Amino acid sequence: MEKEVEIKFNGKMYTLPVIKGTEDEMAVDISKLRSDLNLITLDRGYKNTGSTLSSITFLDGEKGILRYRGYAIEELAEKSSFLEVAYLLIYGELPNKNELDNFTNNISEHTLVHEDVKSILDGFPSNSHPMGVLGSLVSSLTAFYPKSLDPNRSSDEINGTIIRAIAKLPTLAAWSFKNRMRQPVVYPDNRLDYCSNFIRMMFSLPTFEYKINPVITKALNKLLILHADHEQNCSASTVRIVGSSHASLYASISAGIAALWGPLHGGANQAVIEMLEEIKQSGGDVDKYISKAKDKSDPFRLMGFGHRVYKSFDPRAKIIKKAAHDVLDQLGINDPVLDIAMRLEKVALNDSYFKTRNLYPNVDFYSGIIYRALGVPTDMFTVMFALGRLPGWIAQWKEMRENNEPIGRPRQVYTGKNYRKYLDINQR
Ligand code: CMC
């Protein structure tokens, strides 16, 4: 039997349809509520609002399940390459050998950016945060590829725009780091795989050729896969809503980068390491910071803890925690910050404040420890997240356009003044 929801308003009963997803999640369709009843729904922070129907990523926060296009994150992180996952997210299926080769070659051919990008880069002060630089450089791609401004072009042309985004983001990300270091930029080497190419562009110097380390490439590949999509999170929703006004893909991705930057979202990976460093420097008193996090009069939060959707555990955090140990072991690094992280996690998981609120370590709690081990400086961590999230943003944008979704435009409940007569300046 079709399910419905009945609501009573002004003494009358109304029925609202219930929509069921392929994993049996149910949603009340309220789209006619305003035209039929002159009512809107209020849900600050969209905590309980489904903004779209999507077939990209499935997430069950209660059971700790994450799947891209039906494939479990655990299997993808273990067995696939980042470009394979990017293909899966964007085109809906895992590529066969031929499809993956074509995709990879196509990307390799577009890794260079226009020389004028260097002039834009030179305009940024060296202390610019790389996320700000990256967002601006991605937006500047609209100037170099003006045809990309029109999201209604043929699917081949849109695909070209997509390929350029994936190909150029590592170059732009590495160059935003080079600006930070006031070092000359390094050009891509297309003989290398996606992750090695990026790492080499970050760390090579005119006087030093970075030697590819398979441990580092493998760890980066895994991290990028774990970050590749996460359904309607803050940055993906931003990308969709910006794109819904028919803004270009590059403009939408640039907006996604801005949304990701904040410490409650992707910026948490930087904030976690800064927090762990602070705890270490203040003598390693974990209990003091747990108390601070619980104190409602103190703005401090345990960074890397809690999640809007996961209420049992974050499956990405489980994989990353193991990877952090493996990478440190393989590289022979003893990072005291890992010990603090583990102590903090142990205390928090046994504390009723965190237990009753279902607060568990999220993907960002251990990712920064791996980035540090790979030699990535702290303010580049969120850039690494952006690099991983790119296929997700593209897939979300593409789905939204292909489904011809209407412009995103929430409503509000107005709580300001009622009509007031305008007073002349000397009457106020
Ligand atoms: N430390 C201390 N208390 C917390 C924390 C935390 N990290 N997170 C949530 N709480 C408390 C919060 O104070 C509230 O308590 P109460 O019910 O007494 O008012 C309760 O838990 C529910 O929190 P909320 O803020 O209403 O939950 P939310 O869904 O709006 O926020 C969050 C989710 C991720 C923004 C939040 O947990 C947080 O700020 N965490 C720290 C930042 C962080 O690690 N962000 C990365 C998220 S994962 C990467 C990504 O995909 O973006």
Side-chain angles (χ1 to χ4, degrees), residues 59-74:
L59 197 167
D60 183 329
E62 277 70 36
K63 296 192 187 128
I65 293 173
L66 174 62
R67 295 186 203 132
Y68 299 159
R69 303 277 188 191
Y71 295 100
I73 190 65
E74 292 79 5

Side-chain angles (χ1 to χ4, degrees), residues 347-363:
V347 176
L349 291 182
N350 288 304
D351 187 296
S352 65
Y353 174 93
F354 293 89
K355 283 208 287 202
T356 52
R357 289 171 179 78
N358 297 317
L359 300 171
Y360 296 89
N362 59 48
V363 69

Side-chain angles (χ1 to χ4, degrees), residues 68 82 85 89 224-230 388-393:
Y68 299 159
F82 175 61
V85 168
L89 286 167
L224 297 189
I225 291 173
L226 292 173
H227 284 102
D229 193 49
H230 213 230
R389 185 52 57 88
L390 180 68
W393 289 333

Side-chain angles (χ1 to χ4, degrees), residues 40-44 49 411-413:
I40 64 163
T41 53
L42 180 63
D43 181 21
R44 294 206 299 165
T49 293
R411 288 187 177 266
Q412 65 165 13
V413 176

Side-chain angles (χ1 to χ4, degrees), residues 47 264-265 296 301-302 304-305 308 353 357 362 364:
K47 290 194 175 199
L264 297 191
H265 191 9
K296 294 289 173 199
R301 280 192 163 199
L302 207 53
F305 255 75
R308 169 63 59 82
Y353 174 93
R357 289 171 179 78
N362 59 48
D364 286 328

